[in-house]
Amino acid sequence: MQASVRPALSVNLPPIATSALARETPEALAMRMTISKLDFFYGPKQTLFDVSMGIAVNKVTSLIGPSGCGKSTLLRTLNRMYETIRGARLRGEILLDGQSILAQDVTALRRRVGMVFQRPNPFPKSIFDNVAYGLKINGSKLPISDAVEKSLRHAALWDEVKDHLHKSAYELSGGQQQRLCIARALAVEPEVLLLDEPCSALDPISTAKIEELLVQLKDICTITIVTHNMQQAARVSDFTAFLLTGQLIEFSPTPQLFTTPGDPRTEAYITGRFG
């Protein structure tokens, strides 16, 4: 008896490249970060359960799932941002370039693993001083002015602000402020950039600019993004992880996850049957 072949899903998503990436697996790539048997707790409440996955070098990895599934919590474990919350703790292992992040100085770790939040949060300073802030604290291989320009160029913002560097960052639009926050994070040359729903407060035009930027930035750093927008995950990411009730249900190359998911819960979510 011939086994039935499950057809690819017909989902209202943008075209996904079916290049060699579709044949890549996380196991075949160099990992920048490795998460093993991760459990996470807010006080007595457990919110992540036995999560294991890798974050590949110079790729974009998306974390998707319904609200409350644990994707933002998982993101915050990667640079120990959870330590700002009383009673939060993790069990398991997270490695950055083969070394436990728990054994590293937290300030040094957050230089290596930068973060951009859901809503733009520029400092009450000039555009220039926002980007220069981390450079002045941590030092820079380039003169400060050159390093600021380099970071603004990487964030695709230089041409828009080069004549207004000493104006308040608050005078920028929401999308520009978010790209400024990305430039600020990039200024210290992190190995990993974490983004927690960076486009949720932005209009479609600004969102498109951020998405285009993320695809370009993976040439210089490894990116992990939390997004509630499945179309966005399909457009920008190389790998996608689907979380549900604190568990990692499926993790695979993005084209595979969105067209031939291996778990019926993933299929139900991406086809809109829940979430």
Side-chain angles (χ1 to χ4, degrees), residues 155-260:
L157 191 57
W158 174 252
D159 289 339
E160 297 170 42
V161 303
K162 62 184 179 182
D163 297 324
H164 313 286
L165 293 176
H166 298 292
K167 286 188 176 181
S168 170
Y170 293 151
E171 294 185 32
L172 298 175
S173 69
Q176 289 174 322
Q177 287 186 17
Q178 192 66 299
R179 280 183 285 149
L180 178 65
C181 292
I182 292 173
R184 187 176 67 198
L186 291 174
V188 295
E189 299 183 336
E191 296 158 52
V192 182
L193 185 62
L194 311 176
L195 302 105
D196 192 0
E197 300 201 21
C199 302
S200 64
L202 303 181
D203 62 85
I205 293 174
S206 297
T207 294
K209 288 182 179 180
I210 297 287
E211 290 181 0
E212 183 180 356
L213 174 60
L214 295 181
V215 173
Q216 296 169 355
L217 286 179
K218 68 181 181 180
D219 289 337
I220 63 170
C221 67
T222 298
I223 296 171
T224 301
I225 177 173
V226 164
T227 178
H228 66 280
N229 186 324
M230 286 185 287
Q231 287 85 357
Q232 183 172 81
R235 286 190 293 261
V236 306
S237 62
D238 302 299
F239 293 94
T240 299
F242 169 57
L243 287 91
L244 184 65
T245 60
Q247 301 175 71
L248 178 61
I249 303 302
E250 189 162 352
F251 177 51
S252 57
T254 297
Q256 178 181 323
L257 186 135
F258 280 112
T259 57
T260 54

Side-chain angles (χ1 to χ4, degrees), residues 18-271:
T18 53
S19 63
L21 178 65
R23 299 187 296 274
E24 288 181 346
T25 62
E27 294 78 9
L29 297 169
M31 292 296 116
R32 179 66 73 203
M33 301 191 79
T34 305
I35 304 161
S36 302
K37 298 185 179 301
L38 180 67
D39 298 321
F40 189 84
F41 304 82
Y42 289 111
K45 179 178 173 59
Q46 186 170 357
T47 55
L48 293 176
F49 301 84
D50 196 30
V51 174
S52 296
M53 60 181 283
I55 297 172
V57 175
N58 295 118
K59 302 292 184 184
V60 179
T61 299
S62 286
L63 307 178
I64 66 169
S67 296
C69 71
K71 54 189 185 292
S72 290
T73 296
L74 177 58
L75 192 76
R76 281 167 165 74
T77 67
L78 301 181
N79 70 345
R80 293 168 54 186
M81 190 62 69
Y82 68 88
E83 292 182 358
T84 61
I85 301 172
R86 192 176 203 179
R89 60 189 174 89
L90 64 77
R91 185 170 62 203
E93 185 176 66
I94 303 175
L95 303 179
L96 172 61
D97 293 334
Q99 297 180 325
S100 172
I101 66 168
L102 298 177
Q104 300 181 38
D105 173 77
V106 70
T107 302
L109 172 67
R110 290 175 187 162
R111 280 200 298 268
R112 299 178 67 191
V113 184
M115 192 160 194
V116 176
F117 296 95
Q118 183 173 359
R119 291 189 175 275
N121 61 339
F123 299 147
K125 299 174 180 288
S126 70
I127 295 167
F128 182 94
D129 286 339
N130 263 269
V131 183
Y133 182 81
L135 295 166
K136 291 175 180 176
I137 291 176
N138 299 305
S140 172
K141 299 171 188 174
L142 295 173
I144 294 291
S145 59
D146 292 347
V148 167
E149 178 179 343
K150 178 182 176 183
S151 298
L152 288 169
R153 286 188 182 279
H154 280 320
L157 191 57
W158 174 252
D159 289 339
E160 297 170 42
V161 303
K162 62 184 179 182
D163 297 324
H164 313 286
L165 293 176
H166 298 292
K167 286 188 176 181
S168 170
Y170 293 151
E171 294 185 32
L172 298 175
S173 69
Q176 289 174 322
Q177 287 186 17
Q178 192 66 299
R179 280 183 285 149
L180 178 65
C181 292
I182 292 173
R184 187 176 67 198
L186 291 174
V188 295
E189 299 183 336
E191 296 158 52
V192 182
L193 185 62
L194 311 176
L195 302 105
D196 192 0
E197 300 201 21
C199 302
S200 64
L202 303 181
D203 62 85
I205 293 174
S206 297
T207 294
K209 288 182 179 180
I210 297 287
E211 290 181 0
E212 183 180 356
L213 174 60
L214 295 181
V215 173
Q216 296 169 355
L217 286 179
K218 68 181 181 180
D219 289 337
I220 63 170
C221 67
T222 298
I223 296 171
T224 301
I225 177 173
V226 164
T227 178
H228 66 280
N229 186 324
M230 286 185 287
Q231 287 85 357
Q232 183 172 81
R235 286 190 293 261
V236 306
S237 62
D238 302 299
F239 293 94
T240 299
F242 169 57
L243 287 91
L244 184 65
T245 60
Q247 301 175 71
L248 178 61
I249 303 302
E250 189 162 352
F251 177 51
S252 57
T254 297
Q256 178 181 323
L257 186 135
F258 280 112
T259 57
T260 54
D263 191 289
R265 291 168 292 182
T266 311
E267 180 178 342
Y269 180 70
I270 65 176
T271 55

